[in-house]
Amino acid sequence: MTYLDAAAAIVGPTQILTGEALAPWRRDWTGQYLSDPAGLVRPGSTAEVSALLALASRHGQAIVPVSGATGLTGGAVAGPEAVLLSTERLSTIRSISAAERTAEVEAGVVLSTLHAAAEEEGLLYPVTFGARGSARIGGLLATNAGGSNVLAYGNTRDTCLGIEAVLPDGRVLSLMSALHKDNSGLNLRHLMIGSEGQLGIITAAVLKLVPAPRIRATAMLAPRDLAAALTLLNRLQDETGGKVVACEYMPDIYIAGHLRYVAGAREPFGQRHAHNVMIELASPSAADAAPGEDGQPRLSAQLEALLAGALEEGLILDATIAQSEAQRAEMWARRESAAELTFARRPFVDCDIAVPLAQVAAFLQLIRQRVRALVPGAEDMVVAHLGDGNIHYTIYPGEAGLAQAAELRALVDGTAVELGGSFSAEHGIGLSKLPAMRAVKDPVAVETMRAIKAALDPAGLLNAGKTIP
Ligand SMILES: Cc1cc2nc3c(=O)[nH]c(=O)nc-3n(C[C@H](O)[C@H](O)[C@H](O)COP(=O)(O)OP(=O)(O)OC[C@H]3O[C@@H](n4cnc5c(N)ncnc54)[C@H](O)[C@@H]3O)c2cc1C
């Protein structure tokens, strides 16, 4: 009996997909990685995931977990030897506790579904990014996703209190705690978060919620340069008591790309500026939302006053504050078109790196010189979560320059590390960052990862060939 035949007895034959039915999983979101799995299995409970992994262990069957399939590093692609295990049917929000401000959710819950459910309780699940309509909690946890609100609320890791995962041999690791303090031994929850399906399949989690903002004040700014942007960010944090929740960088090439590739796109300002930053302040406080003497909410008035001062001082050259939800949505849509406009041109070499906040400008200057020295005529695209130093840097080397894709990637990764940064900020390792793991990650760290992988998955059946070289 094949693995898929035996799996059908666990999940029912309709939950096994093969052949034509696998079409949606054959190509990843970026179109860079192709899959050709033997099949896809859709368990409906933790018990079924457990039975499927125990079965895989007995059959020596390679398994690749997949949640929303929006990952950008090739982490969920599968070859013909592997079976995809989808979490999509684990889609229950088991409970939301308004009193404790927590949500207990299954791994297949779509991020935007959790956002909506939290909002109904006057709460917010703060991790957010452009793929929120498809990405699922299991994928967020497996990649420790970041997004646009990291400077205020942290990465997915920082929002997770408890986790449930099925180990490669089928045992269920149950750490579904809602505790904020629990120092009972090694922190296996944090080991599972960001492990990209190497150590187990995450089936459920307890997540922290925060009070929903009553007021948001959003603006597009044109800082004089990136140093001025950082000065202003720190000032806004200081003056508002840390209410900046997003600080997103879009240089002129990004604005040009947005206008070129996204229907209905508009210039942020009357004239084009070299540096453009979208900033958002948010507050759950009724006092911040209440109208002041000029009739506008106090937080908006405070932002306006601070930006007026920054304009006078020359820190910024231009600013537009959203006056309506529609204007705010337009600002966010501009930023969240990043993946669409970046991948509209091909071929590309996409990189996701982090550097210390004060090194963003140095990184961009250095990498452009180095890229053009290697591939003359290469173009690039930049968009950054400026508030946490995360730069999405994409190179368009042209068909001829594509032969140097590996060198270009190594150049970007190496330059980030040289400036005290990381070659992987928020998208994880998957397949695309394996060369950097080999080349620049501390060798003792890699050996330790291998030892942990071997201890939990001695046969190497779970998401083999990725993440840990
Ligand atoms: C338009 C767009 C915008 C994006 N913006 C951001 C952003 O701002 N910040 C950011 O961090 N990411 C971003 N991403 C990347 C991606 O959305 C995130 O990495 C997301 O967390 C992946 O979730 P997913 O459910 O799609 O996971 P998948 O793509 O299905 O899987 C990702 C990895 O996790 C593993 N995995 C999946 N589910 C499980 C599970 N239950 N247990 C164990 N392993 C599992 C897979 O094997 C794979 O290695 C963006 C992607 C797109 C397409």
Side-chain angles (χ1 to χ4, degrees):
M1 197 189 253
T2 68
Y3 177 79
L4 288 176
D5 290 337
I10 296 170
V11 295
T14 55
Q15 302 308 337
I16 306 273
L17 306 185
T18 54
E20 287 302 300
L22 292 171
W25 285 272
R26 290 200 191 280
R27 186 176 178 272
D28 85 321
W29 198 91
T30 68
Q32 291 182 98
Y33 302 99
L34 302 179
S35 278
D36 185 20
L40 178 140
V41 54
R42 294 191 295 203
S45 66
T46 301
E48 288 186 2
V49 177
S50 167
L52 288 167
L53 288 196
L55 181 71
S57 188
R58 290 197 297 278
H59 277 245
Q61 174 62 55
I63 299 285
V64 174
V66 62
S67 285
T70 67
L72 299 175
T73 62
V77 301
E81 75 296 344
V83 165
L84 285 168
L85 189 152
S86 166
T87 63
E88 70 190 276
R89 288 178 62 230
L90 303 173
S91 58
T92 303
I93 296 180
R94 292 181 187 160
S95 63
I96 291 190
S97 166
E100 294 188 358
R101 295 185 168 166
T102 56
E104 183 176 330
V105 298
E106 294 183 347
V109 170
V110 172
L111 177 56
S112 60
T113 305
L114 176 58
H115 287 159
E119 198 179 320
E120 275 181 28
E121 301 291 333
L123 295 167
L124 173 79
Y125 179 63
V127 176
T128 190
F129 48 84
R132 60 184 165 271
S134 306
R136 298 174 188 268
I137 297 304
L140 264 81
L141 286 161
T143 57
N144 184 28
S148 304
N149 287 167
V150 168
L151 86 161
Y153 307 105
N155 296 289
T156 303
R157 179 185 301 287
D158 303 296
T159 70
C160 181
L161 294 172
I163 206 162
E164 179 189 82
V166 179
L167 299 181
D169 62 7
R171 283 176 300 158
V172 178
L173 176 70
S174 185
L175 301 169
M176 287 294 277
S177 155
L179 296 175
H180 292 263
K181 288 185 172 177
D182 179 4
N183 280 346
S184 53
L186 299 185
N187 197 320
L188 302 180
R189 164 173 46 112
H190 282 306
L191 190 61
M192 283 293 158
I193 299 170
S195 65
E196 299 187 28
Q198 291 298 317
L199 307 179
I201 295 190
I202 297 164
T203 45
V206 179
L207 301 173
K208 271 191 260 184
L209 305 175
V210 298
R214 280 198 169 88
I215 175 76
R216 289 183 169 96
T218 312
M220 282 296 299
L221 324 171
R224 188 180 59 216
D225 51 28
L226 283 170
L230 192 54
T231 303
L232 182 61
L233 169 63
N234 288 335
R235 184 177 302 171
L236 291 173
Q237 291 289 44
D238 294 346
E239 296 299 324
T240 64
K243 291 181 185 133
V244 181
V245 295
C247 179
E248 301 287 310
Y249 176 56
M250 292 161 274
D252 47 359
I253 45 162
Y254 183 93
I255 301 299
H258 185 235
L259 292 169
R260 182 163 172 202
Y261 294 110
V262 180
R266 294 195 307 164
E267 292 273 3
F269 302 107
Q271 68 180 102
R272 189 69 65 79
H273 293 285
H275 306 287
N276 306 271
V277 169
M278 188 191 77
I279 205 137
E280 183 159 280
L281 278 64
S283 170
S285 143
D288 281 332
E293 279 168 18
D294 61 357
Q296 64 170 329
R298 284 182 205 280
L299 190 67
S300 311
Q302 191 181 13
L303 177 62
E304 193 174 310
L306 288 165
L307 294 184
L311 258 174
E312 211 166 292
E313 207 179 312
L315 276 180
I316 55 174
L317 311 174
D318 221 335
T320 310
I321 299 179
Q323 300 298 330
S324 63
E325 189 48 40
Q327 286 181 7
R328 172 177 176 256
E330 185 181 6
M331 289 180 185
W332 272 104
R334 179 182 293 115
R335 170 59 185 86
E336 290 188 337
S337 301
E340 190 184 339
L341 70 91
T342 299
F343 300 135
R345 290 175 68 184
R346 284 163 200 261
F348 58 78
V349 177
D350 58 322
C351 305
D352 161 49
I353 62 95
V355 291
L357 299 196
Q359 297 288 2
V360 172
F363 171 84
L364 291 174
Q365 195 185 15
L366 206 51
I367 196 61
R368 284 199 164 126
Q369 287 165 4
R370 290 176 176 182
V371 162
R372 283 172 193 157
L374 185 63
V375 179
E379 294 180 24
D380 62 12
M381 178 56 73
V382 176
V383 61
H385 301 295
L386 189 64
D388 56 50
N390 175 189
I391 305 168
H392 299 311
Y393 184 72
T394 303
I395 304 162
Y396 305 102
E399 290 297 340
L402 195 57
Q404 276 143 305
E407 281 161 275
L408 286 167
R409 210 179 271 287
L411 203 56
V412 176
D413 296 340
T415 303
V417 172
E418 191 182 317
L419 293 175
S422 168
F423 56 85
S424 175
E426 61 176 5
H427 294 163
I429 304 298
L431 287 173
S432 69
K433 297 279 182 174
L434 270 179
M437 283 291 274
R438 287 193 191 95
V440 283
K441 187 76 185 176
D442 171 39
V444 177
V446 174
E447 275 168 29
T448 308
M449 290 183 209
R450 282 200 191 113
I452 295 169
K453 169 76 173 165
L456 291 180
D457 184 16
L461 295 176
L462 212 51
N463 222 358
K466 298 175 195 140
T467 309
I468 305 173

